[in-house]
Amino acid sequence: MTTPETPNGVVHRNIKTPQSEEISGPAAGNRNNVSDEDLRQWQKHAQRVKEKVLEQVQVQLSDLLDQALTETVESFTQTQATFNGKTTNKSAPRSQRADDGKVFVARPSLLDELFEINHIRTIYHMFIAVLLMFCLSTLAVDYIDQGRIVLEFDLLFFAFGKLGTVVWAWAVMFFYTLLVPYLTLVIWGSLYHTCPSKLGLSLGTGLILSAVQTYVLGLFPIFVVIQYQLPPASRFIVILEQIRFLMKSYSFIRETGPVIMRNTPKEGESPRFPSLSSYLYFLFCPTLIYRESYPRNTHIRWKYVGITTGMIFGCLFYAYFILVRLCVPVFRPETKQPFSKRTMVLAVFHSILPGIMLLLLCFFAFLHCWLNLFGELLRFADRMFYKDWWNSTSFANYYRTWNVVVHDWLYQYGYRDFLWLSKRKFRTAAMLSVFIVSAVVHEYALAMGFGFFYPVMFFLFAIFGVVFNFAMNDKRQSPVFNVVMWASLFLGQGVQVCLYSQEWYAQIHCPRTENSFWEMVTPRSWSCSYQR
């Protein structure tokens, strides 16, 4: 039998009756709504899972690549280790290779890479625009107050006064650091393998060198700063160079001494010592860890040198305008504001903006511009002077990434040596000791630079810093903790700028009446009654 065809070739299909549509229509709509809602929720959940998985994979992959790169470079440097051009220690054991410390690799600074991205460079342009606004504001106020444009920069000239004294004091410290530790190492190394009492020779040489270091690099800069009454910026130059020379000379002795002790010369041969030129290069290159050689670039980019130098001067004027426009008008005594808890709280919060701007300027001017300038001039290829500390979600990570140059020195000669002496039993004590040493050195630099003792930095660093280091550790990965870190930095910088500014003016208007110990260590702002 054949199926009858419909007109015009249209094929009949099974179609639900209207009654069935009325019954099933609302139920089907509900089912569609429910399924759509479930689908949207599932998509959101899948997106969140995807973001978390990608973030974890990215972090783990970065760690694996860094570890692989470090192990590869360490293996290569160990099998090709040279000392004055001769290969030694080709078959060093793996455990020894793991303890060799920092490995230098040719790499650019992080901001140099980020500034190639237009979105990040726009933030840099915004800071330049703010600097221009500061300049225009200062010029406008001076013109309104005095009827003319004033470009005196008297605060800068005051802060960097007596540069002649700074130059000859730096020259004394430099030539001492260049010659005395090096000659001491050569004399000690020449006698070490032939002396019957190696321990006595080492202890005697160490004590003599420590005594000389204490007088020349310890007391001499303090004498210059106090005796010649240097202004603040000149004080900081002398004190910071004092600390740098101490850290560099210690690293040189610490790295070369064990090598000389391990490598016994053959009969009739003299011990091999590092060249004076390599030590001279180390004194100027932007690292505190001594090596006989470093990765070097092939040439100097003079355009980069010029731009970096201009940015350093720009940061200097930026800091000047911040102090003149945001700090001096608030804390100078002529404002005639009676002191109270309210004015204190308002002053702290008013100091947050200039405080965080000064922090960013110090980071950019020194850790990026200054170190990259010397790195470029010396063709020093390892430019990892800092990491992405601004993304930190823990203070432990912030302390490791803010200043990699100093962190490497503290980790190498503080934390690791403490663990070695304690046979790796007291890791917490090692970490606390590094924090205390760092806090003391920071407070010493500020006390000598400002000319008064007010341990605000010490308490923020040694007490609150330690608490936050353990409370906000590396397990904290939520972006909320990045907000907490930045809020803590804001508040900490506001407290420091406020208290140090008040103490500065208190020291001027309420000078000490006697030179007793308690008079010198007691902040004048606690008892000075001048009207702020």
Side-chain angles (χ1 to χ4, degrees):
M1 295 177 65
T2 59
T3 305
E5 296 181 357
T6 59
N8 300 329
V10 177
V11 179
H12 287 288
R13 296 180 181 178
N14 294 329
I15 303 175
K16 296 180 180 180
T17 62
Q19 182 179 0
S20 64
E21 288 182 356
E22 291 177 1
I23 297 174
S24 61
N30 292 335
R31 286 197 299 270
N32 289 335
N33 292 336
V34 172
S35 61
D36 291 343
E37 182 67 23
D38 292 341
L39 180 61
R40 284 194 294 269
Q41 292 180 359
W42 174 253
Q43 288 177 342
K44 292 180 180 179
H45 176 71
Q47 184 66 25
R48 289 194 297 267
V49 172
K50 174 186 174 182
E51 293 176 355
K52 291 182 179 179
V53 170
L54 289 177
E55 182 180 357
Q56 293 178 359
V57 170
Q58 182 180 4
V59 172
Q60 293 179 1
L61 182 60
S62 178
D63 293 340
L64 288 174
L65 291 176
D66 290 341
Q67 182 179 1
L69 178 62
T70 302
E71 290 179 354
T72 302
V73 174
E74 286 180 352
S75 176
F76 177 79
T77 54
Q78 286 300 318
T79 55
Q80 300 294 330
T82 58
F83 202 85
N84 277 357
K86 296 188 177 182
T87 303
T88 60
N89 197 23
K90 290 185 178 180
S91 58
R94 181 176 179 83
S95 61
Q96 183 176 341
R97 293 199 300 268
D99 291 335
D100 282 340
K102 181 178 175 63
V103 177
F104 291 90
V105 182
R107 49 195 165 187
S109 288
L110 182 56
L111 283 183
D112 284 337
E113 293 181 324
L114 293 178
F115 282 157
E116 296 179 2
I117 304 174
N118 290 333
H119 303 290
I120 303 299
R121 194 165 185 83
T122 299
I123 300 176
Y124 172 71
H125 295 159
M126 292 167 60
F127 276 89
I128 296 178
V130 173
L131 174 61
L132 295 177
M133 292 300 102
F134 274 126
C135 295
L136 292 176
S137 172
T138 303
L139 294 176
V141 171
D142 290 341
Y143 183 80
I144 294 174
D145 292 343
Q146 303 185 25
R148 61 187 179 90
I149 297 178
V150 181
L151 295 174
E152 295 179 349
F153 300 109
D154 50 345
L155 184 61
L156 278 180
F157 288 108
F158 162 73
F160 287 92
K162 301 183 180 180
L163 285 180
T165 304
V166 174
V167 170
W168 72 257
W170 180 89
V172 170
M173 292 189 293
F174 168 72
F175 284 108
Y176 165 82
T177 307
L178 175 65
L179 298 176
V180 174
Y182 183 82
L183 294 177
T184 302
L185 179 76
V186 171
I187 295 172
W188 168 81
S190 301
L191 300 175
Y192 180 78
H193 293 286
T194 59
C195 181
S197 178
K198 293 181 174 59
L199 180 60
L201 175 65
S202 300
L203 288 177
T205 306
L207 289 175
I208 294 174
L209 181 61
S210 298
V212 179
Q213 291 271 90
T214 301
Y215 277 101
V216 180
L217 289 183
L219 299 178
F220 171 73
I222 299 176
F223 170 79
V224 172
V225 164
I226 296 177
Q227 179 66 26
Y228 292 92
Q229 294 295 307
L230 297 181
S234 300
R235 284 171 171 258
F236 276 111
I237 293 175
V238 174
I239 297 302
L240 293 179
E241 285 297 283
Q242 171 201 25
I243 297 172
R244 185 177 72 91
F245 284 136
L246 282 170
M247 298 172 76
K248 293 241 182 189
S249 59
Y250 180 85
S251 177
F252 174 71
I253 298 294
R254 177 67 176 77
E255 294 292 337
T256 56
V259 176
I260 294 175
M261 295 171 64
R262 289 195 302 263
N263 293 276
T264 303
K266 297 180 180 180
E267 187 176 356
E269 293 184 356
S270 59
R272 298 187 183 94
F273 303 105
S275 62
L276 182 62
S277 60
S278 67
Y279 180 46
L280 176 62
Y281 179 87
F282 168 64
L283 289 181
F284 286 98
C285 72
T287 181
L288 297 173
I289 308 296
Y290 175 77
R291 294 291 185 267
E292 181 71 10
S293 62
Y294 300 93
R296 304 280 294 276
N297 293 327
T298 56
H299 63 282
I300 300 175
R301 298 173 295 174
W302 291 106
K303 181 179 179 181
Y304 182 88
V305 171
I307 293 175
T308 307
T309 304
M311 289 192 295
I312 293 174
F313 282 102
C315 291
L316 189 63
F317 284 102
Y318 213 137
Y320 166 79
F321 285 117
I322 290 175
L323 292 175
V324 169
R325 303 305 304 165
L326 300 180
C327 293
V328 174
V330 175
F331 296 104
R332 62 186 177 188
E334 287 77 7
T335 55
K336 301 295 183 182
Q337 294 181 2
F339 179 76
S340 64
K341 293 181 180 180
R342 180 179 181 276
T343 57
M344 182 67 180
V345 172
L346 291 177
V348 169
F349 281 94
H350 180 88
S351 303
I352 288 178
L353 177 60
I356 200 64
M357 293 185 70
L358 290 174
L359 177 71
L360 296 176
L361 280 176
C362 290
F363 158 75
F364 185 75
F366 179 73
L367 292 175
H368 180 74
C369 297
W370 184 261
L371 296 184
N372 270 294
L373 175 62
F374 275 84
E376 191 66 32
L377 291 174
L378 297 173
R379 297 189 291 114
F380 184 81
D382 192 345
R383 307 291 180 84
M384 194 182 71
F385 308 128
Y386 53 88
K387 297 180 183 179
D388 58 335
W389 58 269
W390 47 86
N391 291 327
S392 298
T393 56
S394 67
F395 274 87
N397 184 70
Y398 168 75
Y399 292 137
R400 289 194 300 266
T401 55
W402 159 260
N403 188 342
V404 174
V405 179
V406 174
H407 172 266
D408 288 340
W409 193 94
L410 291 173
Y411 176 79
Q412 186 85 3
Y413 307 123
Y415 182 78
R416 289 182 57 182
D417 284 358
F418 189 99
L419 291 181
W420 177 75
L421 291 174
S422 63
K423 298 181 180 180
R424 299 184 177 274
K425 294 182 179 179
F426 306 104
R427 294 183 178 273
T428 303
M431 184 182 299
L432 289 176
S433 65
V434 170
F435 263 97
I436 296 301
V437 170
S438 181
V440 169
V441 173
H442 278 80
E443 187 57 43
Y444 164 76
L446 290 179
M448 297 304 301
F450 289 135
F452 54 79
F453 178 75
Y454 199 7
V456 179
M457 169 69 81
F458 179 81
F459 281 101
L460 291 178
F461 206 128
I463 297 179
F464 293 101
V466 172
V467 172
F468 281 126
N469 182 71
F470 288 100
M472 292 181 59
N473 50 39
D474 292 330
K475 296 180 181 179
R476 314 293 186 182
Q477 297 295 330
S478 173
V480 174
F481 292 101
N482 182 252
V483 176
V484 174
M485 186 210 70
W486 274 105
S488 302
L489 288 179
F490 285 174
L491 186 59
Q493 289 301 118
V495 170
Q496 290 186 70
V497 170
C498 176
L499 296 184
Y500 281 123
S501 298
Q502 290 180 354
E503 182 65 19
W504 174 267
Y505 283 111
Q507 291 283 334
I508 295 175
H509 294 274
C510 300
R512 294 193 303 267
T513 57
E514 56 186 44
N515 291 325
S516 64
F517 173 77
W518 291 111
E519 185 77 9
M520 296 178 64
V521 300
T522 302
R524 300 299 301 162
S525 57
W526 292 2
S527 58
C528 186
S529 60
Y530 74 92
Q531 296 293 317
R532 291 172 176 81

